[in-house]
Amino acid sequence: TEMIHTMSLIHDDLPSMDNDDLRRGMPTSHVKYGEDIAILAGDALLSESFAHMAKETPKSIPAERIVKVVQILGDAVGPVGLAGGQVMDLDCEGKSGVTQDELQWIHRHKTGALLRAAVASGAVIGGATQEQVESCITYAEKIGLAFQVIVMCIFTAI
């Protein structure tokens, strides 16, 4: 999940997205290495995240759990996850009258999608029941929303 998160930050900073030159006080990847290398680095991190999972998950974990985690992670980065959240984010950027529902949708499908994937994946790999996985997802959604509220308060104060 961390590789996917890093990919999302690299891509989010690109000129065609949020066009950020700094992240945590450091030059962003496209500023330091060029836009082409930044795009490729993000793409490589995304594909490597799936390869890493396939290679490094202990053989004692049943294959059906690994396949379920692949599905969870795939959903987290696809049109109902990061990609969809980024599309809505771009659509709302600079637009007046963005509703709280739209903002929450964006957050649920960007940061929230990754938090859900990380927590649900751990639960699945650990052998949790579907009910337990759902409880973990609810927890992750609440943490994700709390995180976004804190971030918005920090940026509003700056």
Side-chain angles (χ1 to χ4, degrees):
T1 310
E2 270 311 304
M3 285 186 238
I4 294 171
H5 181 236
T6 302
M7 172 279 298
S8 75
L9 297 177
I10 291 171
H11 283 183
D12 195 51
D13 291 338
L14 291 168
S16 59
M17 301 290 176
D18 287 350
N19 196 24
D20 289 319
D21 290 339
L22 296 174
R23 181 165 291 277
R24 299 182 186 123
M26 303 289 290
T28 55
S29 293
H30 74 274
V31 170
K32 189 166 184 174
Y33 303 107
E35 189 173 354
D36 52 353
I37 298 300
I39 291 169
L40 293 169
D43 293 349
L45 283 166
L46 179 59
S47 59
E48 183 59 25
S49 68
F50 287 93
H52 180 80
M53 184 174 43
K55 289 185 282 193
E56 301 301 327
T57 301
K59 303 300 178 216
S60 60
I61 304 295
E64 63 270 4
R65 290 188 200 167
I66 298 168
V67 170
K68 179 66 177 168
V69 170
V70 168
Q71 178 211 344
I72 290 168
L73 291 175
D75 288 345
V77 297
V80 294
L82 280 174
Q86 186 65 31
V87 168
M88 181 73 132
D89 192 6
L90 291 169
D91 188 50
C92 290
E93 195 168 303
K95 179 174 136 183
S96 63
V98 176
T99 68
Q100 184 164 347
D101 286 344
E102 288 172 314
L103 285 174
Q104 285 183 347
W105 196 95
I106 291 166
H107 298 319
R108 275 196 313 272
H109 291 82
K110 287 179 74 176
T111 305
L114 287 180
L115 285 168
R116 278 192 312 275
V119 171
S121 294
V124 168
I125 290 293
T129 66
Q130 186 58 38
E131 183 180 337
Q132 291 168 326
V133 171
E134 292 299 325
S135 293
C136 289
I137 289 170
T138 300
Y139 160 79
E141 288 172 345
K142 291 176 192 252
I143 292 294
L145 190 54
F147 174 79
Q148 287 303 326
V149 168
I150 292 167
V151 166
M152 291 178 95
C153 288
I154 290 170
F155 281 116
T156 303
I158 295 177

